[in-house]
Amino acid sequence: MDDLRFRWMKDCIYNVLNIDSQDPAFEDFLEGEDGANELIVAKFLNETSADSEDENALLFYKEVFEEMREEQVEISEEEWIEEQLALNPEFDPNETSDADATGDDETAIAHSPRSVNGQQANSQNNVNTNQNVANGPTPVSVENGVDQANPDEVKPDIPKPKRYRNELVKYLRTILYLCRESYPPNITQKICVYFLRTSAGTIPVPPSYEEADKSMTKYLDYGLLNGHTLHLLANTLTKVYNPLLTYPAEHEDISPELDTRPISSKTNKSNEPQAPENIEETEETKRDEKRRQRELELRTMLRDEFLIVMQKFLNQIGLTLRQLEGEVRLELPPTLEVAKITKQNRDIVETAEAIVYKWNGEIREALERELKKIPTSPGPLGEIDFWRERNISLSSLFEQTKQDQIEQVLEKLELAENPSPASFRDTRADLTKYYLEAKDNVKFLSTLERHFKNVTHAPSFRIVSETIPKMMSALRMVWIISRHYNKDERMVPLMERIANQLCERVARSINIRTLFSNHQPEEIIEKCTEAKNMLEKWRQSYYEVRAEIEQSGRDSRWEFDYKRLFKLTDHMALINNDFIAIAKELEEFYNIFTPELKAVTGKPHKIDEILHRVHKVLELIEHAPCDPFKLEDIDKWKMVSANYAQQIEEIDEQTKNFISESFKSLRSAETAFDMLLKFEKNTTRNTIQEEMHKRFNDILRQYDNEITEINSIFQHNKNKPPLNKNHPPIVGAIAWSRSLFRRIKHTMLRLHTKEQLMQTELGKQIKSYYVRVAREMKAYEDSKFAEWRQKTEQILPALQKRNVLKELPLNENQNRLTPRYAIDFDPQLNEMMTEAKYLEQFDYILPEGIRHLALSEEKMKHISMQLKIMLRNYDRLTDSLEEHEQLLLKDNLEQLKRIMMTGTQRLPWTSTNHEKFISVTSETISKLESTVNQMKKNSQDIQMFLDEIRQCNLFRQPDPNPDGSLVYCKEYFEYVENRRRQDAIELQKKYKLIGPLITKVEGLVFNTNTSQSPNMTAYYAYWEKKVFATLSELILENLRMLFESLKSENHNPLFQVNALLVAPAVALQPNQHEILKLFSQSMRDCVEV
């Protein structure tokens, strides 16, 4: 199967329907109906659209059929002989065995068990003997166990042939069916596999089968249907989807009522001082958290609404199943003929009478069962579900009593003067009364269902509080219109259920065991306030509607039992009020023991100790031996509250003592003062606030110590103040003095916000001390500025008159044509500009000249940067010039020097021609640099020709003869001479190319083409020396290489000579003298080349 998607679907179907993997049922299904089924599946995988519901689902089921097939079965020799004897009484088994033994391979093949059409013949010739033929050049026949080629040798152990018999075998065949537009009537009794597309478009073909198992489930769902569809749907919704949707509500913090964030985390964070730069980030975080809570609340409301609707749908499924299955069936036996029920046919009348009494008894029993039922849920929704179920149960029974067959039976029995119809009609009248009551109650209670859902499932108490007035008005309408809920015995239980539901919500959401440990104080206050308002709203709305009824004077008054409706709700409202008071006290303690108090007092361990004691008191409430919301535990709760109040008073005393001791040794007067002001604005304990107000004198004494400390630092370091990075001396001293002053000034400004504090005797003394120190610091700053101003006005004019460049003295190796230059910018100018910039920021009035200097700082920096770039280009150019090039470019360099002299003699820093000078100089340098680059390029070309001449080999060796032997002596020298002559011609050509390149330089520098320019004498001499040196190196190097090749012991021979044996000596041809002469001539030719 090429398409892995089809293979994956096949495996899913086979696994679910328990089909053997080798069964071809799926392939047969695809090939069925001329391939139409395959097209349907392919369209499901490739062309599914979101608008077509028929194309988005496939439903498969299987059918298993029995079929008979004829097959050959192997049998024993004895069974085969019996069959042959039965067919032919004269059959001789021995003869057949001999005949079988004499058969060769071709006979064995021809008599194979199966014929062409697969059927086995009943003749003995159709028996496969399966003879083993010996390997050899020729076949050997065997008869009666004796080898015909060797008659005396007996053939041992002749194998017996296999025997077969045709038999009919029963097989189970599996056929797959696809349901599309129609379904078989018994589909609910079959096991089915369904595939549902979850996305439109084509499902991509996976690259491998392992990948198919991962990717296919992203595009479709599949599952099993193995029973009644309504039962299966109800079980799937109840046991799969309902827990999945309910799980987040029980395990995630998605609702304000269920928010259980630990209080300890906030307590720990509140005890850590926050940096000011994090305040904005904290506010942004809070906004994001509120936005997230709103989104979660909305999502929770939608989920809860969906759960409610799904539960309602489940109820409808259950009621539908009960209607279909029915507890009571009023059935008429098929053997009873209604037309024969007459007075004359007493037997039939008695039978009909028994059937009617049976119906009557079944209806009575069903009524008794329904009347004994009570609502299973304690809330108001349980009341609606109770009447709704009764309505459905009785409606099924009521509709059966109205059947035509039953009416015909009753009419026939009445004509026969039988008493059973009268009893049945009485029972039906009771059934009708209860059925109409249930139907009427369902109709009116359904108008309240929306309000009851909010009371039961709304995500917050606030929504319930908004629902209660509308619900109470709807209850009034039911009281007025309904025929059954207009009495106390019906309305009071319903309203009691509502009250119990409200109490149950409060008890479920506000759990004293985790309330104070898992929630922040403000969250506790908010939650308990909403709960208390909801409970009070319940009572308030009741009395408002009751007053409206009394004012109308038309309807029956509401005189319901107070205790049943409001006793528990009022009690729980009071308990919530106690929780609010405890949370406010806890919040007051947190407002006192802030990070600021830790920083001021310097005793965080003491604060943690008091907070730990507060938490211990809260643990007493959390582990109280009672449930405050229960009426029977009210006395125990009062004892717990009294114990809590006593311990809180003890913590108040401990806190007052701690504050009194801590403020005697403050760390920072400003922080302590800000903290006291904050306590005045925040809600804190009254006793603690009174103690805090007594600590202002301690703050003033601490501030006096701080002024003394700052003054001591000032006096000790004013002659040599510490400087900040990048601050010049004067500005650094003034900035240091002002930083000390700001440390005491900021606190004084904060203290002046509480004027009555500074009007005290101690406040006046500290203010006077502060003014004296501040004036001394101001005098110090003014003296520093006056000193700097005087010095600057003296030296600034001389510094500004300096030229922008200065010529550096020449070194021994430097040429006067290429002097060196540097920027003549005094560092004092830079320091003055920095000082002036900062002093102006300090609000000092600067002299006009100094002010202009400060304003021109950016301009001078820009000019200095351009001068640096210009000088860097100048230095790079002059460094690249050699002596002969400097002499060649003498006029150009003289011109450049004259331009540079402008910057060294006639261009001060106050001039306005800096840009023009830099532009002209840079342009001249650029042009000269372009000329130098072209000269360098020509020099490189000339040097390349000289290198080629230098590397020429004037003693080239000839190649060996074809037979591998060396050439003879004279041939060798003739070859060397000829090649040297050719090389000399090539070297001469390269040498002649040097002249045009030098002439090109002349045209580039002097715009002439004479090749005899007097201005280029030094340049000509330079290259003549280079050429001479190159030729000398050429000859010397070639002679050296020849000498080394002759001197080396391991050198290869250069040529061969003829040797003649002339006894008693050996004669060479040519002889040694001639060979030496030839070498000498060759070396002379090399020198003269």
Side-chain angles (χ1 to χ4, degrees), residues 1025-1040:
K1025 292 178 182 179
K1026 293 283 286 185
V1027 171
F1028 180 76
T1030 300
L1031 293 175
S1032 301
E1033 291 179 10
L1034 169 67
I1035 294 172
L1036 293 175
E1037 181 66 20
N1038 278 275
L1039 293 176
R1040 184 188 62 80

mmCIF file of all heavy atoms in Angstrom, residues 1025-1040:
data_model
loop_
_atom_site.group_PDB
_atom_site.id
_atom_site.type_symbol
_atom_site.label_atom_id
_atom_site.label_comp_id
_atom_site.label_asym_id
_atom_site.label_seq_id
_atom_site.Cartn_x
_atom_site.Cartn_y
_atom_site.Cartn_z
ATOM 1 N N LYS A 1025 71.798 51.636 -11.596
ATOM 2 C CA LYS A 1025 72.461 50.820 -10.578
ATOM 3 C C LYS A 1025 71.695 49.517 -10.355
ATOM 4 O O LYS A 1025 72.304 48.452 -10.191
ATOM 5 C CB LYS A 1025 72.569 51.600 -9.264
ATOM 6 C CG LYS A 1025 73.511 52.783 -9.335
ATOM 7 C CD LYS A 1025 73.528 53.528 -7.991
ATOM 8 C CE LYS A 1025 74.440 54.750 -8.062
ATOM 9 N NZ LYS A 1025 74.455 55.500 -6.779
ATOM 10 N N LYS A 1026 70.368 49.602 -10.333
ATOM 11 C CA LYS A 1026 69.561 48.396 -10.130
ATOM 12 C C LYS A 1026 69.759 47.409 -11.288
ATOM 13 O O LYS A 1026 69.881 46.193 -11.071
ATOM 14 C CB LYS A 1026 68.078 48.757 -10.012
ATOM 15 C CG LYS A 1026 67.728 49.558 -8.771
ATOM 16 C CD LYS A 1026 67.671 48.688 -7.532
ATOM 17 C CE LYS A 1026 66.449 47.838 -7.530
ATOM 18 N NZ LYS A 1026 66.313 47.061 -6.285
ATOM 19 N N VAL A 1027 69.889 47.951 -12.554
ATOM 20 C CA VAL A 1027 70.068 47.081 -13.718
ATOM 21 C C VAL A 1027 71.450 46.436 -13.669
ATOM 22 O O VAL A 1027 71.617 45.231 -13.908
ATOM 23 C CB VAL A 1027 69.868 47.874 -15.016
ATOM 24 C CG1 VAL A 1027 70.278 47.025 -16.224
ATOM 25 C CG2 VAL A 1027 68.417 48.316 -15.149
ATOM 26 N N PHE A 1028 72.447 47.241 -13.349
ATOM 27 C CA PHE A 1028 73.802 46.699 -13.283
ATOM 28 C C PHE A 1028 73.908 45.623 -12.200
ATOM 29 O O PHE A 1028 74.517 44.572 -12.405
ATOM 30 C CB PHE A 1028 74.792 47.838 -12.999
ATOM 31 C CG PHE A 1028 76.221 47.373 -12.913
ATOM 32 C CD1 PHE A 1028 76.949 47.059 -14.060
ATOM 33 C CD2 PHE A 1028 76.841 47.206 -11.676
ATOM 34 C CE1 PHE A 1028 78.257 46.619 -13.966
ATOM 35 C CE2 PHE A 1028 78.138 46.745 -11.591
ATOM 36 C CZ PHE A 1028 78.861 46.457 -12.726
ATOM 37 N N ALA A 1029 73.320 45.913 -11.056
ATOM 38 C CA ALA A 1029 73.350 44.931 -9.978
ATOM 39 C C ALA A 1029 72.636 43.645 -10.374
ATOM 40 O O ALA A 1029 73.077 42.534 -10.047
ATOM 41 C CB ALA A 1029 72.723 45.524 -8.723
ATOM 42 N N THR A 1030 71.558 43.787 -11.135
ATOM 43 C CA THR A 1030 70.805 42.611 -11.567
ATOM 44 C C THR A 1030 71.622 41.761 -12.529
ATOM 45 O O THR A 1030 71.679 40.523 -12.405
ATOM 46 C CB THR A 1030 69.491 43.036 -12.236
ATOM 47 O OG1 THR A 1030 68.708 43.783 -11.303
ATOM 48 C CG2 THR A 1030 68.701 41.828 -12.703
ATOM 49 N N LEU A 1031 72.306 42.407 -13.497
ATOM 50 C CA LEU A 1031 73.117 41.653 -14.460
ATOM 51 C C LEU A 1031 74.292 40.976 -13.760
ATOM 52 O O LEU A 1031 74.655 39.837 -14.075
ATOM 53 C CB LEU A 1031 73.629 42.583 -15.556
ATOM 54 C CG LEU A 1031 72.536 43.161 -16.487
ATOM 55 C CD1 LEU A 1031 73.142 44.166 -17.463
ATOM 56 C CD2 LEU A 1031 71.820 42.055 -17.241
ATOM 57 N N SER A 1032 74.888 41.680 -12.799
ATOM 58 C CA SER A 1032 75.989 41.080 -12.042
ATOM 59 C C SER A 1032 75.514 39.857 -11.275
ATOM 60 O O SER A 1032 76.164 38.799 -11.273
ATOM 61 C CB SER A 1032 76.597 42.119 -11.087
ATOM 62 O OG SER A 1032 77.077 43.231 -11.806
ATOM 63 N N GLU A 1033 74.381 39.997 -10.639
ATOM 64 C CA GLU A 1033 73.828 38.853 -9.897
ATOM 65 C C GLU A 1033 73.496 37.695 -10.824
ATOM 66 O O GLU A 1033 73.666 36.526 -10.475
ATOM 67 C CB GLU A 1033 72.574 39.283 -9.130
ATOM 68 C CG GLU A 1033 72.852 40.221 -7.965
ATOM 69 C CD GLU A 1033 71.572 40.634 -7.264
ATOM 70 O OE1 GLU A 1033 70.513 40.032 -7.569
ATOM 71 O OE2 GLU A 1033 71.615 41.552 -6.421
ATOM 72 N N LEU A 1034 73.038 38.023 -12.066
ATOM 73 C CA LEU A 1034 72.706 36.988 -13.039
ATOM 74 C C LEU A 1034 73.949 36.150 -13.379
ATOM 75 O O LEU A 1034 73.925 34.922 -13.331
ATOM 76 C CB LEU A 1034 72.126 37.635 -14.291
ATOM 77 C CG LEU A 1034 71.973 36.728 -15.523
ATOM 78 C CD1 LEU A 1034 70.926 35.654 -15.257
ATOM 79 C CD2 LEU A 1034 71.589 37.556 -16.755
ATOM 80 N N ILE A 1035 75.065 36.830 -13.690
ATOM 81 C CA ILE A 1035 76.270 36.099 -14.107
ATOM 82 C C ILE A 1035 76.872 35.353 -12.936
ATOM 83 O O ILE A 1035 77.225 34.164 -13.045
ATOM 84 C CB ILE A 1035 77.287 37.113 -14.709
ATOM 85 C CG1 ILE A 1035 76.717 37.708 -15.996
ATOM 86 C CG2 ILE A 1035 78.629 36.445 -14.966
ATOM 87 C CD1 ILE A 1035 77.527 38.845 -16.557
ATOM 88 N N LEU A 1036 76.978 36.027 -11.791
ATOM 89 C CA LEU A 1036 77.576 35.382 -10.633
ATOM 90 C C LEU A 1036 76.765 34.174 -10.177
ATOM 91 O O LEU A 1036 77.333 33.135 -9.815
ATOM 92 C CB LEU A 1036 77.722 36.393 -9.488
ATOM 93 C CG LEU A 1036 78.727 37.528 -9.726
ATOM 94 C CD1 LEU A 1036 78.671 38.523 -8.570
ATOM 95 C CD2 LEU A 1036 80.141 36.966 -9.882
ATOM 96 N N GLU A 1037 75.471 34.302 -10.203
ATOM 97 C CA GLU A 1037 74.623 33.191 -9.749
ATOM 98 C C GLU A 1037 74.737 31.995 -10.679
ATOM 99 O O GLU A 1037 74.804 30.845 -10.237
ATOM 100 C CB GLU A 1037 73.158 33.651 -9.655
ATOM 101 C CG GLU A 1037 72.188 32.591 -9.169
ATOM 102 C CD GLU A 1037 72.454 32.185 -7.732
ATOM 103 O OE1 GLU A 1037 73.122 32.960 -6.993
ATOM 104 O OE2 GLU A 1037 71.986 31.093 -7.330
ATOM 105 N N ASN A 1038 74.808 32.246 -12.004
ATOM 106 C CA ASN A 1038 74.936 31.139 -12.955
ATOM 107 C C ASN A 1038 76.299 30.463 -12.827
ATOM 108 O O ASN A 1038 76.392 29.231 -12.875
ATOM 109 C CB ASN A 1038 74.728 31.649 -14.379
ATOM 110 C CG ASN A 1038 73.258 31.767 -14.745
ATOM 111 O OD1 ASN A 1038 72.634 30.790 -15.174
ATOM 112 N ND2 ASN A 1038 72.692 32.949 -14.548
ATOM 113 N N LEU A 1039 77.359 31.253 -12.637
ATOM 114 C CA LEU A 1039 78.678 30.666 -12.459
ATOM 115 C C LEU A 1039 78.751 29.865 -11.161
ATOM 116 O O LEU A 1039 79.370 28.796 -11.102
ATOM 117 C CB LEU A 1039 79.755 31.760 -12.483
ATOM 118 C CG LEU A 1039 79.950 32.469 -13.839
ATOM 119 C CD1 LEU A 1039 80.977 33.583 -13.692
ATOM 120 C CD2 LEU A 1039 80.374 31.484 -14.933
ATOM 121 N N ARG A 1040 78.113 30.413 -10.128
ATOM 122 C CA ARG A 1040 78.115 29.702 -8.837
ATOM 123 C C ARG A 1040 77.387 28.370 -8.966
ATOM 124 O O ARG A 1040 77.868 27.334 -8.454
ATOM 125 C CB ARG A 1040 77.446 30.562 -7.764
ATOM 126 C CG ARG A 1040 77.500 29.943 -6.372
ATOM 127 C CD ARG A 1040 76.649 30.764 -5.397
ATOM 128 N NE ARG A 1040 75.252 30.766 -5.815
ATOM 129 C CZ ARG A 1040 74.421 29.752 -5.580
ATOM 130 N NH1 ARG A 1040 74.837 28.661 -4.962
ATOM 131 N NH2 ARG A 1040 73.155 29.841 -5.986
#
